[in-house]
Amino acid sequence: MGNKSSLRKFFRNTYFKITPFLPENPLVNIFNKHFGHLRSAQLHKPMDADGTELPWFTYPAIEYLSQLDFSDKTFFEWGSGNSSVFFSKRVKSITSIEANEEWYSIGLTRLSSNQNLILAAKDEYANRIKVSDKKYDVIIIDGIVREECAAFAPAYLNEGGMIIYDNSERDPLVCKSLRERGFIQIDFHGVGPVNFYSWTTSLFFKDFNFKPKENQPVVPRGGIK
């Protein structure tokens, strides 16, 4: 594991050094400039080319979710960070549960009026969704004890709501358990901010009560208008 980590670090550092001198490649240009991947990787923060916060999801998932109108929707999220900032600008309200004290402290400095950030120990983390006894339009699973969170989530999801499960390729049995409870699973495979590998962000829903902000599909980043 240590050798793999060192190899990744070496690759990243070498890539940053040689990229400015490589012949321009249209696909690499879209990836690094339009999506802002080079900047996000260098700063190790999920962000776009303008420095705007992004969820640490795959780019295909971010592109799709960015087309939906969440202005009247309530969000609940296990795991906080740039996703909290990103969605707080687009939703009616968002409640985030965080187990890491450092991330919690950082989150407190960036709270907006429609956000609620809660620090929870591991043994109460998944259970925190029970406290307010509310249901939500969107529930994000992107923190610790994901199997427990996925077990709780359906009971607290509004009709027509959506579960977003990041890094779902790591938990095929958890995803299977949601499908067995009647959810449709839509996978967004691909690369995303910061990382130099691909992964999967999945959406789960039964009925789908979300409208696009405009006609779909829109011209994607790096597309031809």
Side-chain angles (χ1 to χ4, degrees), residues 17-37:
K17 290 177 182 178
I18 68 173
T19 294
F21 305 101
L22 294 175
E24 186 164 298
N25 180 302
L27 292 178
V28 174
N29 186 57
I30 290 173
F31 189 51
N32 282 336
K33 294 184 179 179
H34 291 274
F35 283 87
H37 183 268

Side-chain angles (χ1 to χ4, degrees), residues 66-78:
S66 295
Q67 295 185 66
L68 299 180
D69 182 3
F70 292 125
S71 58
D72 63 344
K73 304 300 184 183
T74 57
F75 274 52
F76 181 93
E77 142 182 88
W78 278 294

Side-chain angles (χ1 to χ4, degrees), residues 167-219:
N167 306 114
S168 54
E169 79 285 355
R170 300 176 185 174
D171 299 317
L173 293 180
V174 178
C175 294
K176 181 182 178 183
S177 72
L178 288 171
R179 296 195 304 272
E180 288 175 343
R181 297 178 72 168
F183 285 91
I184 298 169
Q185 178 179 343
I186 305 295
D187 298 326
F188 289 87
H189 306 291
V191 294
V194 181
N195 299 329
F196 283 94
Y197 57 83
S198 59
W199 72 97
T200 305
T201 303
S202 296
L203 309 186
F204 292 86
F205 55 87
K206 294 181 181 179
D207 300 313
F208 192 81
N209 186 26
F210 299 91
K211 296 180 180 179
K213 292 189 292 187
E214 51 197 21
N215 291 333
Q216 291 178 273
V218 299
V219 177

Side-chain angles (χ1 to χ4, degrees), residues 129-189:
I129 197 169
K130 293 181 173 182
V131 174
S132 62
D133 198 30
K134 294 180 181 178
K135 290 191 174 184
Y136 301 88
D137 299 304
V138 177
I139 295 176
I140 301 173
I141 301 175
D142 196 18
I144 63 172
V145 294
R146 297 186 180 199
E147 184 174 1
E148 294 177 40
C149 294
F152 282 123
Y156 294 89
L157 190 67
N158 278 329
E159 186 175 349
M162 175 198 307
I163 297 172
I164 302 173
Y165 197 114
D166 194 35
N167 306 114
S168 54
E169 79 285 355
R170 300 176 185 174
D171 299 317
L173 293 180
V174 178
C175 294
K176 181 182 178 183
S177 72
L178 288 171
R179 296 195 304 272
E180 288 175 343
R181 297 178 72 168
F183 285 91
I184 298 169
Q185 178 179 343
I186 305 295
D187 298 326
F188 289 87
H189 306 291

Side-chain angles (χ1 to χ4, degrees), residues 33-52:
K33 294 184 179 179
H34 291 274
F35 283 87
H37 183 268
L38 183 62
R39 182 176 185 177
S40 75
Q42 288 174 322
L43 298 177
H44 204 74
K45 294 180 180 179
M47 60 175 61
D48 65 13
D50 298 322
T52 302

Side-chain angles (χ1 to χ4, degrees), residues 35 58-68 218-221:
F35 283 87
T58 62
Y59 285 131
I62 295 170
E63 290 286 280
Y64 177 68
L65 293 169
S66 295
Q67 295 185 66
L68 299 180
V218 299
V219 177
R221 298 185 207 189

